Each structure stands twice: as structure tokens, then as C-alpha cells.
Amino acid sequence: MEEVTVVENKKVILKNYVDGIPTETDMEVKIGDTIELKAPKGSSCFLVKNLYLSCDPYMRGRMRDFHGSYLPPFLPGQRIEGFGLARVIDSDDPNYTPGEVICGITGWEEYSLLRSSNELQLRKIQLDDDIPLSYHLGLLGMAGFTAYAGFYEICSPKKGESVFVSAASGAVGQLVGQLAKLHGCFVVGSAGSKQKVDLLKNKFGFDGAFNYKEEDDLDAALKSLGLYSWGLHLQSTELCSVLFSGR
């Protein structure tokens, strides 16, 4: 009989539902659980070694005891899950081969046993030595896809038009602003602190930025930066862009 290796599987669990801002004490690193490095025969599952995990804003909503959302809440005492990048270790699913790297919903643990489904949003990663693997959870992941589709497919601005991005220092907003600059647009963003405003102007290349918490009149703030009229408003969980017809 084939000998199967058993290893410890460290994981992060949610201790209790969270009120307010999550803190370190709301979670716990659980040590002592073990897992076989073999996908059970007949299970149609595949075993992965998690390489990178993404901590995203939507996960805060899953830490509440609220069942009216598009995603169910995490269960206290159970491991947290989210988008991650993982390497296939063993597989009982013909669609996944050991050595392949996949991206999708996985557990906050060292190893996860997964079964392919639409809910996991799994996709295989084409490895490229010039692209760091972690990019597939950001620029080439959910945030990047949202920014690209929202900017180019929905807003579809012309070179020289002006673009306003709210929540501009967030994962999606900062990418929208940079795509707009590469596209030849005049870009202004808003954020909620001086540090974030400085980041937009000095690192991400926005033409202008302001702290919306310090402004009583949004129109006046925009006009002071040269933006006078808008033509399209696009909003999603992390994306809010407004295209302007002139400046």
C-alpha cells in the first residue's frame, strides 16, 4: 500500500463575529491540525499548497453575522477563506495536474483540499519569469480586472478627456488612475486622508487630488482642479469613476 505523507496544516480561523474594526484578537492561528498530501481517490478534489493570500475589503463583510449578502458569513471557529495563489500538489480531478499554479478562492491555511466549482472562481496561471506570482492577486487579479473592464470597456474614454476617481487610493481606484494616465487622460482623485492624497499625486501620478473629508462642496473642489462637467458615472464595490467632457 502506498505510504501517504502527513503534515501539519497551520491555519487562520475567525474566533468570533466582529463588531467595528477587526483586530488581531478576532482571529487566531490554529496549530496542530494535520492533512494528508494526497487527494482522496474518487473525491474529484485536488490538493494545493497555498503560496500567496489576498486580504480584500469584501472579507470584512463576511466577518459579521449577516446572511443577506451575496456571500455567506465566515463561521466562527472555522478557517477564513479568500482569493489566493496556490500550487497543485496532488489531484483526483483530471482538469488539474500537480505542479500547476492556480488562482481562486482558497483557505487561509498552508494546504487546502479543493473541489472545482464556479464559486471558487478558479483559473490557471501561465507562469512567466518576468511577472511576480503575487501580481496575479492584484494588478492581474480581481482589482486589476475590475479596473481594466470598468475603465476601458464601460467608461471607454478618449485621449485628452478628464477622469475623476473617487476612493482613488484603493486597490481598484489607484489602478484606474494609472490606466487613465497611460491612456492620455487628465486624472483627479479623492481620498480620505492627507497621506493618501500625497500618495495619489507623488507615487501614482494623478494630476490632482483632494481629501473629500475636508471639502463641503464636491463641485467646487472639482472645479478648483479644472473639472467642470461629467458625462458618465461608474460605481462598483471598489470602483467609482467619473468621466468629464472638458476642463
Side-chain angles (χ1 to χ4, degrees):
M1 186 172 63
E2 181 183 1
E3 184 176 349
V4 178
T5 302
V6 178
V7 297
E8 183 179 69
N9 193 26
K10 187 187 304 181
K11 59 188 64 179
V12 177
I13 66 171
L14 180 70
K15 292 172 65 176
N16 297 291
Y17 287 123
V18 177
D19 292 320
I21 299 175
T23 64
E24 185 177 346
T25 57
D26 292 316
M27 291 162 278
E28 178 182 3
V29 176
K30 186 177 181 181
I31 300 174
D33 287 354
T34 60
I35 189 170
E36 294 184 349
L37 296 185
K38 188 76 176 175
K41 293 296 182 183
S43 66
S44 298
C45 293
F46 58 99
L47 181 72
V48 300
K49 165 72 173 177
N50 292 310
L51 305 175
Y52 293 94
L53 299 172
S54 180
C55 186
D56 298 303
Y58 79 90
M59 298 173 69
R60 171 62 185 88
R62 300 192 67 186
M63 294 180 179
R64 302 180 297 161
D65 187 13
F66 178 70
H67 297 262
S69 177
Y70 66 100
L71 287 173
F74 296 133
L75 296 177
Q78 300 295 314
R79 59 117 168 96
I80 294 172
E81 64 179 18
F83 282 100
L85 202 72
R87 178 171 284 109
V88 178
I89 301 298
D90 190 60
S91 178
D92 192 55
D93 183 334
N95 296 308
Y96 296 93
T97 303
E100 290 182 325
V101 175
I102 59 100
C103 183
I105 300 295
T106 186
W108 276 31
E109 55 193 349
E110 293 194 64
Y111 297 90
S112 293
L113 187 64
L114 305 176
R115 179 180 284 109
S116 183
S117 69
N118 291 335
E119 287 75 16
L120 295 184
Q121 303 179 49
L122 298 173
R123 58 187 175 91
K124 294 182 182 180
I125 300 301
Q126 184 176 346
L127 300 179
D128 187 323
D129 291 339
D130 294 327
I131 301 176
L133 279 178
S134 60
Y135 280 25
H136 293 281
L137 291 178
L139 177 62
L140 300 177
M142 179 176 63
F145 294 157
T146 303
Y148 185 94
F151 183 70
Y152 285 109
E153 302 297 330
I154 299 177
C155 290
S156 190
K158 296 181 177 65
K159 182 178 180 180
E161 286 189 311
S162 300
V163 176
F164 167 62
V165 186
S166 66
S169 64
V172 174
Q174 60 167 284
L175 293 177
V176 170
Q178 292 176 80
L179 291 174
K181 286 298 299 179
L182 290 171
H183 194 62
C185 295
F186 180 81
V187 184
V188 170
S190 66
S193 71
K194 180 182 183 302
Q195 290 82 358
K196 292 178 180 179
V197 168
D198 290 341
L199 189 69
L200 295 177
K201 294 190 294 185
N202 300 323
K203 183 172 183 178
F204 297 137
F206 282 59
D207 295 292
F210 63 93
N211 183 348
Y212 67 87
K213 295 179 181 178
E214 297 177 349
E215 302 293 340
D216 295 324
D217 188 330
L218 176 61
D219 285 340
L222 294 174
K223 288 177 180 178
S224 71
L225 295 170
L227 303 180
Y228 298 97
S229 61
W230 56 79
L232 176 64
H233 179 232
L234 172 66
Q235 183 171 0
S236 71
T237 304
E238 295 180 4
L239 172 62
C240 182
S241 305
V242 184
L243 300 189
F244 290 78
S245 57
R247 58 185 175 90

